[in-house]
Each structure stands twice: as structure tokens, then as C-alpha cells.
Amino acid sequence: MATIEDVAKLAGLSRTTVSRVINDQPYVTEEKKQRIIQAMNDLGYVPNSSARRLRSQRTETIAVLLPRITNPFFGNLIESMEEKASEWGYQVIVCQTHDSEKKEMDYLQLLKTKQVDGVIMASIINNWDDVEPYLESGPIVVCNEYMEGTPVPTVHMDHKKASYEATLHLMEQGCNHIAYVSGGPNSHLTSQRRKGFEEALKDKGTTKIEDLNIDWALDVKDGQKVFHFIKENHPYIDGVFTGSDEVAAGIIYEASQNDWEIPHDLAVVGFDNQMISLLMVPSVTTVEQPVKQMANKAVEILLQQLLHPGTHYPREYVFDHELLIRNSTKRRKLSVH
Amino acid sequence: MATIEDVAKLAGLSRTTVSRVINDQPYVTEEKKQRIIQAMNDLGYVPNSSARRLRSQRTETIAVLLPRITNPFFGNLIESMEEKASEWGYQVIVCQTHDSEKKEMDYLQLLKTKQVDGVIMASIINNWDDVEPYLESGPIVVCNEYMEGTPVPTVHMDHKKASYEATLHLMEQGCNHIAYVSGGPNSHLTSQRRKGFEEALKDKGTTKIEDLNIDWALDVKDGQKVFHFIKENHPYIDGVFTGSDEVAAGIIYEASQNDWEIPHDLAVVGFDNQMISLLMVPSVTTVEQPVKQMANKAVEILLQQLLHPGTHYPREYVFDHELLIRNSTKRRKLSVH
């Protein structure tokens, strides 16, 4: 846990100045104040006494909005957020929007009716213009999903970079006709992922690569349909990039039922490193998101904002992915010298 | 959707009498009133106008308490509860207790602070004596977990019957040494499951059957440990009953890494019919719970209680399971006549 000394060091200011900011005392310039708040955000420092003082006037509850908890990515995100929040005596309530604009608005009302102190949005369906008025009732942090130009802190992974790397990997394994499989509503996140895929194709510069777009695949059952769609309409496809381990599992399951050999007939990349990606036969190459780090950062920033109301510092916190290469894409044998 | 006529018919009373009860008018005996409320509960009937009248004074929010959303059983339960609740304009917030007595109490406070109108408890960690005082602040329905003698409605599956049937199935497949694998805190539900297992062993009456108890297995990683525990300490075990598809998947995954053949070296039964049980190689024999029906019933009863405060009718609603036999237990070939 970060200390007040760590904050002073990072901000390049004295412990006394930091203490002044924490206790809302005068004689600190706005510029220094911002530097200190930024340092507290970066370190995840939450002053104890302020936290206590604050809590007594609050519900000590934050809400996390997400599309659906049956997606294990969000389940794991919530686990980490709760752990972090409960370190500071806050409880977390989980609200499923099911990608519905109305439900998202209904849950944001929890801020207005003072049922919660702050909100973390792990997805956004409405336009930001419709969300922004709720900032008057309490702080909002955006985590996982992101939008350029929002006046709130956002915490997310670089999805463009991740899909670029995963697509390059498929090409390095000798895939020449790669399908892009996604699902759910269009968002900044999904468009960034798509861009990474397209840039990888472009950078490789080979015209052999086919771009097949499937945009309706969300779960295992959809993955099974994807396999049949490929088999019947585009049997020349030899690689698939999916935005979901569940879709990848569905493709692999159905392929084995139809005597296609994975990865030789079809190489498959999943997303999120869910447990299922390890348990499948063959195991699934996947992109691991830094779920715990993103969850911790989002909660820390939200608590900071509860402690320092009015300081909506619209900074982006971008985390890096890891590509885990498993048997669903290993088409090339290691060369022996 | 049930109508007022359906309620009248089931209660064996006139439409006018039902209408009187809905609108809280006099001249209805307590006995008739209870019969009508019971009929409304059974049919899931919620009078529209009362619902509207009521909602204007409420938060239109109910809370569901559960151990953890990363367990897909609870994810699916919540999905169905939300769908049902939103038919009546109610939103659902999800609260993870992590099997902590303190957290369970903290979330029950949401009733007292009027942040929610009612609570569904999908797990109970505290003694009922500690939970009961919260009934003064709003209705509570118990779903999935159950306790005898609680003065609130409970909705659950017959876990004793389910585990009895699953254990019998293992014995019919020729398993002679069956391990009982469970995890999580002791509760009425887990003790009922255990009883069903023991009764099946007893009824079969063969002394050959070994009862090995592992009570610390909750997820895939634990399942992997269970396999090694069996392999190193009790290699004669030829059948495993687990209370979790994830544990079953972990056992099967690790068995295949160690060249044990499932089901011939070890037959494995899971629980809950999660997607993973179908995707594993071999697919996992499992117990399917009537998740949707239980979720619907629990929400309906809670809404009934919100419409008729003070009528905590402590009835049990018990649903039946289904044993899905797949490749992880098929040791016996079908006999050919």
C-alpha cells in the first residue's frame, strides 16, 4: 500500500504540502494540488482519515455497470474490484445492462437517488452526452470500454495492439485466409480491435489473405454456428481471430465433431484467457487481459474522486496484454538446428 | 401470464373476492385471503394496478445475495431473475457475499437503509436468528439454499434426491470405490446432498464401496488437486461424485495429462450442467438444476410480498433435477439382445 511519503516523492513536493491537500487546507496552488492528486491516483493512495470522515456521510456503496455477468471476463473483473473496494470498507453492487440503453440509464439513476456514491462503467451503450449529466450526482470511472474525449478517467487495455499481435501470430503460423469473428454492439473497443486486425493484414502486405467478417458471435453456441458457416460457405478459411474464448471453444468443439483437425485445418485464437481456453482439447491460444490491474486502478481512481469531489481528471490509464500461445494455433513445428 | 380469473379458479373463490383482496377491501375472511394470496403465489400473478401504485413509493430495486458470480450457476440464476423482475419494472442489483458472515450482514443493511425494496438470498451464511430482524425492513425470499423452519418462502431443488440418483448411476456403471467431493461452507443444501450420497451407498448395501470425503474442492484448480490426491493416496478409487462441473473438469483435465482413462480408470459426475460439462473431452455426466423455474418463482414470490406486506407465507417450493448421462461415466456398454 502506498504511503504519504510515496505521494510526496512522486509529486516532487513535501510531505507537508501533500498533507495540506489531503486535509483541504489553504496555501497550495492549484497546479501543485493537481500534481498531488495525480500522484495519489497513480499510486492508488487513499488517505485513511479522510476516507473515514467521508464514509460517515455516504452509502459506502459503489455500483459497477456491465453487460452480463455470465461472461467470465466481467465476473473476474468484479471479483478484483470487490476485493479492492472492501479494503476501504466499500461494498460493490453489480448491475447488468444487457447492452440496453434504457437499463444503463436506469442504473445510472442509482447515483441520482443517492443509492450509491459512485459508478464504474465497464461498458457504455448510450452516447456520452446522455451519460454526462449524471456526473453532477457523483463520480463515474470508465473501465474496459473507452471513448475518446470523455471528461472522466478511463482504464483499459490496448485492444488494437492485442488484436494486431494475435493476427500476426496467425499469419506466422501459415494462415492465409483469416476470418474476423466478433459480436455485441459496436463500440470504441471493438472498432480498435478491428483496426488492429486490419493493420496486421495490411502490414503483411500479402493479397492472399482473405478478410471474412462475422459480427454476430457471442457465446459457445454462436461459435458452433460460426464453424458451420465457414465449413459450408468458406471452407478455404484456415485461421480465425475471435474476440471471445467461448466462441473459440464453440468453433473447436464443433470442428472436432466434424473431423476437422485443429489447428491444421483451422487455427483459432480466442480472447480473455478464460479457464475454458486451457481445458479445451486442443487448448486455445488467447489474449490475456490484465484484469486485476485494471480493476484495482478503476476502484482506486473512483475512491480518489469520492475523497476529492470535483476533480474529474480525464486521464487514460492503458494496460498491456499478453498473447498466450497454445495448441489451437501451433501449425508450425519448431525448426531443429 | 396468469390472470385474475386464473387466481379465482385456483383459489375456488369468485373474481370479486380476489379483487377485494388485491385492493385491500374489507369483508374477506383471513382464511380466504390466505388462499387467494397462495393462489397468486402459485401462479406468479402480480396485479398490475397495485404494482404501479406500489412502485411509486419504492426504489423499484431488489437485491440478490450470492456467494460469487464467477460460479456460472449463480450467473444463470441472476440472468433469469433479472428477466423476470424487469417484466414488472424492477431492477436487480447483485451482491457477492464471498461466504462471509460480515458481508452478508452488510448487504442486508441495504434493506434497512431503504436502498432496496426486497432481498433474495441465494445463500445463507449467518444463523437465521441474525437474519430475521431484517424482515422488519422488507421481505426476504430464500432461493437455492434452504433451512428448515425459516419463516419465509424458500425455493430450491431436492439436492438429496439428485445426489442419490447420481451416486446410484455411478454404482450401476460398476464403480465400487466412490469418492465424495465437495467444497464451501457447510449448509443445509450441502448436508442434504451428502445424505443422498450416503443413502445410495447404504441402499446398495455392498461393503465394497469406499466412502472417501474431500471437502475443500470448489473450482478447476481444486479439481486438479483432487486428481493428484486420489492418484497418490487412494488409487483404487474408481468413481467420483462432485458438487461442481468445474471440479469435475479439473479432475478430467488432470487425468488426461496423467494418462488415466476417463471413465474406465475413473468415472466422474459433475453438477449444474454448465457449458464446460458439454465441451470437455470426454463430456461430463452432470445434474441439471431447474434454474429458470427457481429464479422465476423466487422473484414472483418476492414481488407478491412487496404488494401484500406482512404476508410472509413460509412455504417451500421444491423443484426437480435432471441427471444428464454423458461420456465421463459410461463404463458399461449397452447390452445387445
Side-chain angles (χ1 to χ4, degrees):
Chain A
M1 204 72 74
T3 65
I4 194 167
E5 281 77 19
D6 298 331
V7 176
K9 204 174 160 191
L10 184 63
L13 294 165
S14 71
R15 198 185 179 291
T16 316
T17 312
V18 175
S19 176
R20 279 187 179 282
V21 170
I22 291 171
N23 297 300
D24 255 340
Q25 287 165 354
Y27 312 124
V28 186
T29 65
E30 190 54 35
E31 184 267 332
K32 281 183 185 171
K33 193 178 163 189
Q34 285 303 328
R35 253 160 75 195
I36 287 165
I37 289 170
Q38 190 53 47
M40 290 196 287
N41 277 344
D42 288 348
L43 294 166
Y45 173 78
V46 180
N48 248 328
S49 58
S50 314
R52 267 197 304 275
R53 179 159 41 86
L54 173 84
R55 261 182 244 141
S56 59
Q57 309 155 8
R58 301 278 185 152
T59 64
E60 302 180 24
T61 307
I62 61 176
V64 181
L65 275 53
L66 47 80
R68 46 181 63 78
I69 58 177
T70 46
N71 178 339
F73 168 78
F74 291 107
N76 293 330
L77 193 73
I78 287 292
E79 279 290 310
S80 297
M81 284 180 176
E82 287 214 3
E83 203 178 303
K84 193 75 195 170
S86 75
E87 282 175 20
W88 300 103
Y90 273 76
Q91 59 189 3
V92 173
I93 60 176
V94 183
C95 307
Q96 293 193 101
T97 65
H98 290 98
D99 293 322
S100 144
E101 289 181 7
K102 185 182 175 304
K103 284 195 175 174
E104 187 172 280
M105 282 291 141
D106 287 348
Y107 283 120
L108 283 169
Q109 286 285 343
L110 294 170
L111 264 184
K112 234 176 200 163
T113 54
K114 306 289 176 206
Q115 286 167 275
V116 301
D117 299 344
V119 167
I120 296 176
M121 298 182 79
S123 61
I124 306 181
I125 295 300
N126 288 281
N127 291 323
W128 181 256
D129 289 350
D130 297 317
V131 175
E132 189 155 350
Y134 290 93
L135 283 175
E136 284 169 26
S137 308
I140 296 174
V141 169
V142 175
C143 177
N144 174 47
E145 188 51 77
Y146 49 111
M147 284 182 175
E148 267 153 29
T150 51
V152 297
T154 58
V155 178
H156 59 86
M157 198 185 75
D158 187 338
H159 285 262
K160 190 168 117 184
K161 197 169 154 194
S163 64
Y164 182 92
E165 199 182 306
T167 308
L168 214 59
H169 166 69
L170 282 172
M171 291 190 285
E172 284 165 2
Q173 296 297 313
C175 295
N176 288 317
H177 301 82
I178 305 175
Y180 183 81
V181 177
S182 63
N186 281 324
S187 69
H188 191 70
L189 183 157
T190 55
S191 79
Q192 287 298 313
R193 248 189 221 173
R194 170 94 200 170
K195 266 188 200 161
F197 175 76
E198 282 168 0
E199 279 185 19
L201 295 193
K202 204 174 129 201
D203 288 358
K204 198 79 178 179
T206 158
T207 51
K208 270 189 194 169
I209 291 162
E210 190 97 358
D211 172 4
L212 178 76
N213 191 30
I214 295 173
D215 63 359
W216 42 262
L218 272 171
D219 57 19
V220 173
K221 286 203 174 77
D222 291 340
Q224 294 175 278
K225 284 182 213 152
V226 166
F227 171 78
H228 287 288
F229 182 75
I230 288 174
K231 180 170 175 267
E232 277 140 43
N233 302 299
H234 306 276
Y236 52 87
I237 294 284
D238 56 4
V240 180
F241 172 93
T242 75
S244 147
D245 282 342
E246 287 169 306
V247 173
I251 294 172
I252 290 170
Y253 175 81
E254 206 60 22
S256 79
Q257 304 286 314
N258 286 269
D259 295 323
W260 278 41
E261 209 190 321
I262 307 283
H264 297 287
D265 296 329
L266 192 67
V268 183
V269 173
F271 215 96
D272 286 346
N273 191 24
Q274 295 172 14
M275 192 50 86
I276 205 172
S277 67
L278 189 65
L279 294 171
M280 289 301 293
V281 181
S283 57
V284 187
T285 294
T286 190
V287 175
E288 182 169 59
Q289 296 204 50
V291 173
K292 198 176 172 61
Q293 294 95 306
M294 293 195 295
N296 285 351
K297 181 55 77 182
V299 171
E300 283 166 13
I301 298 169
L302 190 70
L303 292 182
Q304 285 294 347
Q305 293 200 30
L306 288 171
L307 293 164
H308 302 282
T311 56
H312 302 298
Y313 202 78
R315 178 168 160 181
E316 267 186 77
Y317 299 83
V318 184
F319 288 82
D320 224 346
H321 72 282
E322 193 173 348
L323 180 66
L324 304 175
I325 296 169
R326 301 205 182 106
N327 293 330
S328 69
T329 57
K330 282 186 191 160
R331 288 154 61 105
R332 292 253 158 107
K333 293 229 165 73
L334 286 169
S335 56
V336 182
H337 296 282
Chain B
M1 204 72 75
T3 64
I4 194 165
E5 281 76 19
D6 298 331
V7 176
K9 202 175 163 192
L10 184 63
L13 293 165
S14 72
R15 199 186 178 290
T16 315
T17 313
V18 175
S19 177
R20 279 188 178 283
V21 169
I22 291 171
N23 296 302
D24 254 339
Q25 286 166 355
Y27 312 122
V28 186
T29 65
E30 189 55 34
E31 185 267 333
K32 282 184 183 168
K33 192 178 166 190
Q34 285 304 328
R35 253 160 74 195
I36 287 165
I37 289 170
Q38 191 53 47
M40 290 196 287
N41 278 344
D42 288 347
L43 294 167
Y45 174 77
V46 180
N48 248 328
S49 58
S50 314
R52 267 198 302 277
R53 179 157 43 87
L54 173 85
R55 261 182 245 142
S56 59
Q57 310 155 10
R58 303 277 184 153
T59 64
E60 302 180 23
T61 308
I62 61 177
V64 181
L65 274 54
L66 47 80
R68 47 181 64 78
I69 57 176
T70 46
N71 179 337
F73 168 77
F74 291 107
N76 293 331
L77 193 72
I78 286 292
E79 280 290 311
S80 297
M81 285 179 174
E82 287 214 2
E83 202 178 303
K84 193 75 197 167
S86 76
E87 282 175 18
W88 300 101
Y90 274 75
Q91 59 189 4
V92 173
I93 60 177
V94 183
C95 307
Q96 293 194 101
T97 66
H98 290 98
D99 293 322
S100 145
E101 289 181 7
K102 186 185 173 301
K103 284 195 176 173
E104 187 172 281
M105 283 290 141
D106 287 348
Y107 283 121
L108 284 170
Q109 285 286 343
L110 294 171
L111 264 184
K112 235 177 199 162
T113 55
K114 307 288 176 205
Q115 285 167 274
V116 300
D117 299 343
V119 168
I120 295 175
M121 298 181 80
S123 61
I124 307 182
I125 296 301
N126 289 280
N127 291 321
W128 181 255
D129 289 350
D130 297 317
V131 175
E132 188 155 350
Y134 289 95
L135 283 175
E136 286 169 26
S137 309
I140 296 174
V141 169
V142 175
C143 177
N144 174 49
E145 189 51 78
Y146 51 111
M147 283 182 177
E148 267 153 28
T150 51
V152 296
T154 57
V155 178
H156 60 85
M157 198 185 75
D158 187 338
H159 285 262
K160 191 168 116 184
K161 196 171 156 194
S163 64
Y164 182 92
E165 199 181 306
T167 308
L168 214 58
H169 166 69
L170 282 171
M171 292 190 284
E172 284 165 3
Q173 296 298 313
C175 295
N176 289 315
H177 301 83
I178 305 176
Y180 184 81
V181 177
S182 62
N186 281 322
S187 68
H188 191 71
L189 182 158
T190 55
S191 80
Q192 287 297 111
R193 247 189 223 174
R194 171 93 200 169
K195 265 187 201 161
F197 174 76
E198 282 167 1
E199 279 185 19
L201 295 193
K202 207 174 128 201
D203 288 357
K204 198 78 180 179
T206 158
T207 51
K208 270 190 193 167
I209 290 161
E210 191 96 0
D211 171 2
L212 178 76
N213 191 30
I214 295 173
D215 63 0
W216 42 261
L218 272 171
D219 57 19
V220 173
K221 286 202 172 78
D222 291 340
Q224 295 175 278
K225 282 182 211 152
V226 167
F227 171 78
H228 287 288
F229 182 75
I230 288 173
K231 180 171 175 264
E232 277 139 43
N233 302 299
H234 306 276
Y236 53 87
I237 294 285
D238 56 6
V240 181
F241 172 93
T242 75
S244 147
D245 282 341
E246 288 169 304
V247 173
I251 293 172
I252 291 171
Y253 174 83
E254 206 61 20
S256 78
Q257 305 285 314
N258 286 269
D259 296 324
W260 279 40
E261 208 190 321
I262 307 285
H264 298 286
D265 296 330
L266 193 67
V268 183
V269 172
F271 216 95
D272 286 344
N273 191 25
Q274 295 172 15
M275 191 49 86
I276 205 171
S277 68
L278 188 65
L279 293 172
M280 289 299 294
V281 181
S283 55
V284 187
T285 294
T286 190
V287 174
E288 182 170 58
Q289 297 203 51
V291 174
K292 197 175 173 64
Q293 292 95 306
M294 293 196 296
N296 285 351
K297 182 53 77 181
V299 170
E300 282 166 14
I301 299 169
L302 190 69
L303 292 182
Q304 286 294 349
Q305 293 201 31
L306 288 170
L307 293 164
H308 302 282
T311 55
H312 301 298
Y313 201 78
R315 178 170 161 180
E316 266 188 77
Y317 299 83
V318 184
F319 289 82
D320 224 345
H321 71 283
E322 192 173 350
L323 180 66
L324 304 175
I325 296 170
R326 301 205 183 108
N327 293 329
S328 69
T329 58
K330 282 186 189 160
R331 287 153 61 105
R332 291 255 159 104
K333 294 231 164 73
L334 288 170
S335 57
V336 181
H337 296 284

